[in-house]
Amino acid sequence: MTEERKLRLIGTPFRRVDGRAKVTGRTLFADDLHFPRTAWVKLVRSTVPHARIKSIDCSSALAMKGVLGTLVGEELPDSFGILPVSEDEHALAIDTVRFVGDPVVAVAAVSEDIAHAAALAVNVEYEILATVPDFDAALKTPEPRIHDYGDEGNLHKKISMEFGDIDDGMAQADTVLEDTFYYEGNNHLALEQHASIAVAEDDDRVTLYSSTQTPHYVHRALIKTLGLPPARIRVIACSNGGGFGGKTDPFNHEIVIAKMALKLGRPVKIALTREEVFYCHRGRHPALMHIRTGFTKDGAMTAQHLRTAIDGGAYGSYGVASTYYTGALQTTTYRLPNYRFDGARAFTNKPPCGPKRGHGTPQPRFAFEVHLDKAAHVLGIDPAELRLRNLVPADTITANWLQIGTTGLRECIEAVTAGSNWKERYGKLPPGRGLGLACSAYMCGAGLPIYWNHMPQSGVQLQLDRSGCVAVFCGETEIGQGSDSVLAAIVAEILGIDLKDIRLCVADTDLTPVDLGSYSSRVTLMMGQAALQAAEKARAMIAETVAEHLEVPADTLVFADRRVFRADDPEHGLNFNEAVVVAESRFGTLGTTGSYIPPRAPGRYRGSGVGPSPTYSYTAAVIEVAVDADTGLYNVEHVWCAHDIGRAINPVLALGQIEGSIYMGLGEATMEEQVFRRLPKRLSPALVHKMPSMLEYKSPGFHDMPGMTSYLIETADERGPFGAKEVGQGPLLPVLPALANAIFDAVGVRVDQVPIQPENVLTALQAKTAGKDARVGPKKFPSIDYGEVLRVPTPEQGGDGRAVGDPRAQHAGVRSASGTMKDREEALKEHSSATLTTD
Amino acid sequence: MLRLPPIEFVKPRSMQDVLAALTDDPADDEVRLVAAGTDLWPNMKRRHQQAKTVISLMSIPQLRGIETAGGELRVGATTTLTDILRDEIIRARFPAFARAVASISSPPLRNMATLGGNLCIDTRCTYYNQSEEWRRSIDYCLKERGEICWVATKSPRCWAHSASDAAPILCTLGARVKLVSSAGERVIPLAGLYREDGIEYLNKRRDEVLTEILIPADSDSEHCRSTFWKLRRRGSIDFSVLSVAAAVWTDSKGMVTRAAMYLGAVESRPMPVDAMDMLLGKSLGKTLNATLNATLDPTLDPTVGKPSGTAPGEQLIAAIARQAHQIARPLDNTDFTPSWRGKMVEHYAQAALGELAGLPMRRLAPRHGLTVV
Ligand SMILES: Cc1cc2nc3c(=O)[nH]c(=O)nc-3n(C[C@H](O)[C@H](O)[C@H](O)COP(=O)(O)OP(=O)(O)OC[C@H]3O[C@@H](n4cnc5c(N)ncnc54)[C@H](O)[C@@H]3O)c2cc1C
Ligand code: SF4
């Protein structure tokens, strides 16, 4: 169908629908909204890392002029959390605080200034508990537990699974290599700080406007915590000034102001400071990783064993999924016939980690790609060639049962090696100059929703009338990535109209069909498919009536240039609005819907829910670096990045995502780190964010960006709309390892950790001069009991996707097999059966 | 959003009004001066600097302006950093000063920020430049309300570091400042304005206003060669984690008659490097490039680098750089680790002197955030 039609808009660099408003400052972000009688809320946050709350005294705050009221934890007793398996958060702490920044009290006042002054006047007394600062401490300090649930002590989640037989695989190898890597945590640093405003519409009804990537999940969290029926809560996601995963959880402040608006009967607003954004966090998990891989002489991989230890901070957030993700996508780039993954996540007294661009996968990708670079040197094979020899073929199933779609990784590698003149220059540049290569793959939307259901993950509804305007309703959320433009363009393309003929109504839980939100690179693919379906239905209705009207067969009609006309006789046709009049006269009020449910993944084992995706994107990057051997200072000279996007809906938007990913990747590679200060233990239990400000948390600026050359590789995949795959996250992944590999090429030292500080380079260089191991990085990996290993035969071994001896295997398919969803039995208990359908 | 606490904001009409509003009672911290406030307002929002009344200097036109009297350059205290950068005479005569000013924060901030404010900015420390709530979490510190210096827990003093980029170069050039109070006025060497204490970091009474900065005629590019180097993480915005300002005065034979170097950001005051005296009576090398300074364009990314090859003065340079390393006190209260910053003192001092000696330079790290400016 669409393939045969000539595309007019899709694939062209059309102007974003929200571009003009954004560059002229007319876009309304949440913090721009104001309603009459708006009250301001400020949160009193914990000043201690781990403690029981002894007492809360709000009397001085309440005595201040202009203070309207306070809220404490007991008034919002129900817990919430993005994953049903870890609903461990309270809007305001009840009994226990778990990190410096954990909200305890909310104060409302007639102005933000008074709210802040009053918040400072609230006195909370604490009974201090032992501080658990990092993964190692969590492992060694099972008591006191930060939460009374989780797999063991302060270990939140433990995973162990083996696909095939790694012992067997290692035995077939000529060389077995192992490495330990560390990846520091970091924040999304979206420019817009979280802000929300809640309006009490009338008794017991509240509307929340918020900077959120996931209005649907916020709606669910509000239903749970406010104890109101869904119809009494409306969530509207405003345009987001960037999200990157930092606005995908429901947050304390959203719940608090909704409750406060109901309590006070007036609009209530909160605008977080940058420091508070660092406390909301949900950023990259710090990850310690150990990787061991067997290679044949020719560079084929026979087996890999990956172990990860991630520091989750104080709450669950997406952490269970994050833990799985540190292992799940390892198989998607190169053939790995036998693969074992052990992962663990710890609770610590720090702001909770969660999903940041690449969710859980940049860490093991860094480890894998540097490890491969080392292997290439040991085996004497060019790093690009080593990768080309191992590529995962298109349309195959990996050892851990992921269904691969199209892949353009070969073309990506060819593009960046040609662009950087790799063959002539790699390994041959003068001392201090080097090239590094790395590759990656990423999901185009998570195959499973966050809570158990069989309903569409994205819905789109069209409304057409005689004016010729088309209103498009969808729960999708514009976070700056351009999803509004993609939605409008797909509908405009199918109906042959202009972007200006489209009116969008998005991200409003009262008015728009559910879309799960802007995360996991799912929007273009899932929303796009739903929009395509809805638009095709509308097109068919119009085509049918116009065909009758013009007395021609419907399939000879073309929709283009705001007209519907005969392909063989373009003069013969109707204007689009006339065509709608004909259709409306015939069918009555016109409306269509479209929805998208991802295909069923072949995996049937516990944990197989994390990793599946309709298809995967691929990226390769080469970085050129100049290193100064005396100081360790280095400069990224250029980045070449090629991304297999399937099909670019809008190449300019797509290139923007690649460049943004390179920027973010370089930030993580060179300087960004969310790190904490521990004061001397004998003097203080404090554990504070070292630099919760835009000035001191270092992230590159324009000055610091190198030149970039980006390539779009198009391997259209029928699973995506017009063949499109993702581009929002994947291109970040190869940037970090490519830099580490380039530094090795330049000066012959390994920095097996990120960010790569100039000091690290200097230390490694000094070790090299002294004849010692020319490496900086973690020295050892702790011994962790990951629990009993789940054994899953691979497709090659003739497996059926189930684990060996898994008693639950018989239910597989109707029951959640992933950490991201509750068991079906449990889910059924909690929700009415109407929200669940069996397959 | 972080908000200012309520204050009384006073815009006096005349210098007399300003002075009348100030007292010299050291215990009186209810009144503060503000110029552009790019330092004071953030500090007050975080509440580690407090005041009931804030007196603006921006409404006094006489405090702003650049003039030359008998070769001496006089810069009014509220002259903005952008004013300074736009001044052709300053760029030609005091290129290293212009380079230092060009390295301060970012263009929008420089459009507001004043030179007087820059010379008086508070010392900085990552345990201190934090919100009220954050500081509560560590029970404050010596500099404000607390009992302990968290950077050096046994230390009786505060080690917050000097943060001004104009200070080291102006000390190097022998600049003086005029301090005015209702009791009268005095002119002191800028180097004497600073104290080795992170809390009481200025030798200035509370009722004194810095009105003017005076740079002597014999410190201009006809009489001396000067330079300024700054180490920071990114290409813009960041404060120095180290700065090196240096100048040498030579006679007609190329012999050094006077030499000075100050280090910024590694102590609570700009640190003088006495070893510069070793240069006196010596020639810095045969390849002196007298035109080097004259062609410095401070608004452009300057040629950055370090000496390569050998020259007669190089051993001397190395010895001075080693001393600079020894006297610097980089501590764990800013970006990067202290040990690495310490090593960089030597490299940067060496590079600055190499530049003055006209040694061939090679580019170190162009365009990157770690650009040496
Ligand atoms: C993001 C950021 C980056 C920065 N980067 C740099 C940098 O790289 N290098 C650098 O040097 N600085 C930097 N600064 C600090 C500051 O902006 C500049 O130093 C600026 O020049 C200060 O001038 P001001 O007029 O704003 O001072 P103000 O904030 O008005 O005053 C600073 C202090 O000096 C006192 N004061 C001001 N004028 C006088 C006077 N005439 N007499 C007596 N006391 C006075 C005030 O009471 C106050 O205590 C940065 C600031 C920010 C916010
Ligand atoms: S140096 Fe010590 S006393 Fe001074 S601000 Fe820092 S922690 Fe506080």
Side-chain angles (χ1 to χ4, degrees), chain A residues 695, chain B residues 32-42 49 57-58 63 77-78 81 103-106 109 112-122 124 163-166 179 201-202 204 208-211 230 232 237-240:
Chain A
L695 180 60
Chain B
R32 273 183 198 276
L33 289 171
V34 70
T38 60
D39 185 52
L40 185 72
W41 297 139
Q49 288 194 325
L57 295 173
M58 301 310 272
L63 287 179
T78 64
L81 303 183
S103 80
I104 293 172
S105 57
S106 64
L109 278 156
M112 297 176 68
T114 68
L115 182 60
N118 184 275
L119 296 177
C120 296
I121 45 172
D122 198 1
R124 294 183 67 85
S164 164
D165 282 318
L179 301 172
Y201 59 96
L202 292 181
K204 179 180 96 54
E208 283 181 312
V209 180
L210 192 162
T211 56
K230 171 166 173 169
R232 60 174 160 190
I237 286 273
D238 285 336
F239 280 93
S240 292

Side-chain angles (χ1 to χ4, degrees), chain B residues 124-128 141-144 148-152 157-161 198-199 333:
Chain B
R124 294 183 67 85
C125 168
T126 41
Y127 287 92
Y128 168 71
C141 73
L142 215 54
K143 185 160 160 71
E144 199 241 349
I148 295 175
C149 168
W150 294 113
V151 170
R157 64 165 276 209
C158 160
W159 290 89
H161 64 86
I199 301 171
N333 58 3

Side-chain angles (χ1 to χ4, degrees), chain B residues 230-308:
Chain B
K230 171 166 173 169
L231 173 63
R232 60 174 160 190
R233 178 75 71 159
R234 296 173 289 187
S236 185
I237 286 273
D238 285 336
F239 280 93
S240 292
V241 294
L242 162 70
S243 63
V244 179
V248 288
W249 287 255
T250 45
D251 62 17
S252 53
K253 296 192 206 91
M255 294 297 163
V256 175
T257 56
R258 184 179 151 195
M261 176 186 280
Y262 280 81
L263 307 176
V266 287
E267 238 294 3
S268 297
R269 61 169 178 140
M271 279 296 277
V273 180
D274 299 335
M276 285 294 276
D277 288 349
M278 293 199 282
L279 291 175
L280 296 178
K282 311 248 167 54
S283 160
L284 262 184
K286 286 180 200 131
T287 53
L288 294 186
N289 178 357
T291 56
L292 183 71
N293 270 329
T295 56
L296 259 181
D297 179 352
T299 59
L300 294 178
D301 181 22
T303 304
V304 292
K306 55 188 174 178
S308 61

Side-chain angles (χ1 to χ4, degrees), chain A residues 113 275 628 635 703-704 759, chain B residues 3 131 306 337 367-369:
Chain A
D113 292 351
E275 181 176 351
D628 176 62
N635 185 57
H703 269 286
D704 315 310
E759 179 183 24
Chain B
R3 309 272 305 173
S131 72
K306 55 188 174 178
T337 60
R367 219 179 36 228
H368 186 259

Side-chain angles (χ1 to χ4, degrees), chain B residues 46-370:
Chain B
R46 290 161 155 182
R47 289 160 166 74
H48 50 76
Q49 288 194 325
Q50 314 216 10
K52 288 231 161 72
T53 306
V54 178
I55 301 168
S56 171
L57 295 173
M58 301 310 272
S59 50
I60 319 284
Q62 305 89 284
L63 287 179
R64 181 167 177 177
I66 301 165
E67 54 177 56
T68 311
E72 183 183 58
L73 186 81
R74 299 178 164 202
V75 184
T78 64
T79 308
T80 69
L81 303 183
T82 300
D83 289 346
I84 290 168
L85 290 178
R86 291 217 175 116
D87 192 283
E88 304 253 320
I89 295 174
I90 292 185
R91 283 161 55 162
R93 290 185 64 205
F94 304 100
F97 171 45
R99 196 199 263 186
V101 169
S103 80
I104 293 172
S105 57
S106 64
L109 278 156
R110 288 197 295 272
N111 289 342
M112 297 176 68
T114 68
L115 182 60
N118 184 275
L119 296 177
C120 296
I121 45 172
D122 198 1
T123 53
R124 294 183 67 85
C125 168
T126 41
Y127 287 92
Y128 168 71
N129 295 98
Q130 301 281 2
S131 72
E132 170 69 22
E133 292 91 330
W134 192 98
R135 284 175 293 118
R136 278 187 188 176
S137 311
I138 60 159
D139 254 336
Y140 303 98
C141 73
L142 215 54
K143 185 160 160 71
E144 199 241 349
R145 267 193 273 183
E147 311 280 298
I148 295 175
C149 168
W150 294 113
V151 170
T153 48
K154 297 216 172 75
S155 165
R157 64 165 276 209
C158 160
W159 290 89
H161 64 86
S162 155
S164 164
D165 282 318
I169 184 65
L170 289 178
C171 288
T172 300
L173 297 178
R176 294 170 305 148
V177 286
K178 188 192 275 185
L179 301 172
V180 179
S181 71
S182 41
E185 58 178 65
R186 57 184 179 127
V187 175
I188 61 165
L190 176 64
L193 182 65
Y194 300 108
R195 304 185 61 221
E196 221 164 70
D197 179 46
I199 301 171
E200 292 301 330
Y201 59 96
L202 292 181
N203 274 317
K204 179 180 96 54
R205 293 198 316 271
R206 296 196 66 88
D207 64 336
E208 283 181 312
V209 180
L210 192 162
T211 56
E212 216 171 16
I213 296 92
L214 313 165
I215 311 178
D218 67 356
S219 289
D220 72 3
S221 49
E222 272 191 22
H223 299 84
C224 83
R225 274 175 297 126
S226 57
T227 187
F228 175 84
W229 282 61
K230 171 166 173 169
L231 173 63
R232 60 174 160 190
R233 178 75 71 159
R234 296 173 289 187
S236 185
I237 286 273
D238 285 336
F239 280 93
S240 292
V241 294
L242 162 70
S243 63
V244 179
V248 288
W249 287 255
T250 45
D251 62 17
S252 53
K253 296 192 206 91
M255 294 297 163
V256 175
T257 56
R258 184 179 151 195
M261 176 186 280
Y262 280 81
L263 307 176
V266 287
E267 238 294 3
S268 297
R269 61 169 178 140
M271 279 296 277
V273 180
D274 299 335
M276 285 294 276
D277 288 349
M278 293 199 282
L279 291 175
L280 296 178
K282 311 248 167 54
S283 160
L284 262 184
K286 286 180 200 131
T287 53
L288 294 186
N289 178 357
T291 56
L292 183 71
N293 270 329
T295 56
L296 259 181
D297 179 352
T299 59
L300 294 178
D301 181 22
T303 304
V304 292
K306 55 188 174 178
S308 61
T310 51
E314 243 188 313
Q315 279 187 330
L316 213 48
I317 288 175
I320 296 169
R322 269 198 302 279
Q323 202 222 20
H325 183 182
Q326 279 160 15
I327 62 165
R329 298 264 175 284
L331 294 170
D332 186 19
N333 58 3
T334 180
D335 195 15
F336 294 117
T337 60
S339 64
W340 185 76
R341 281 166 58 220
K343 288 180 195 148
M344 292 308 106
V345 175
E346 193 167 340
H347 283 289
Y348 275 62
Q350 208 162 1
L353 291 171
E355 187 189 353
L356 292 183
L359 299 178
M361 310 293 280
R362 73 175 168 80
R363 280 182 91 79
L364 187 73
R367 219 179 36 228
H368 186 259
L370 296 157

Side-chain angles (χ1 to χ4, degrees), chain A residues 26-40 192 195-199 207-211 236-239 257 267-271:
Chain A
R26 271 182 289 159
T27 301
L28 292 181
F29 296 94
D31 194 20
D32 295 320
L33 300 181
H34 198 79
F35 297 92
R37 296 178 68 242
T38 296
W40 286 84
E192 181 206 21
S196 314
I197 184 161
V199 183
T207 301
L208 179 82
Y209 300 83
S210 193
S211 38
I236 299 173
C238 298
S239 268
I257 65 156
V268 174
K269 184 168 176 175
I270 190 163

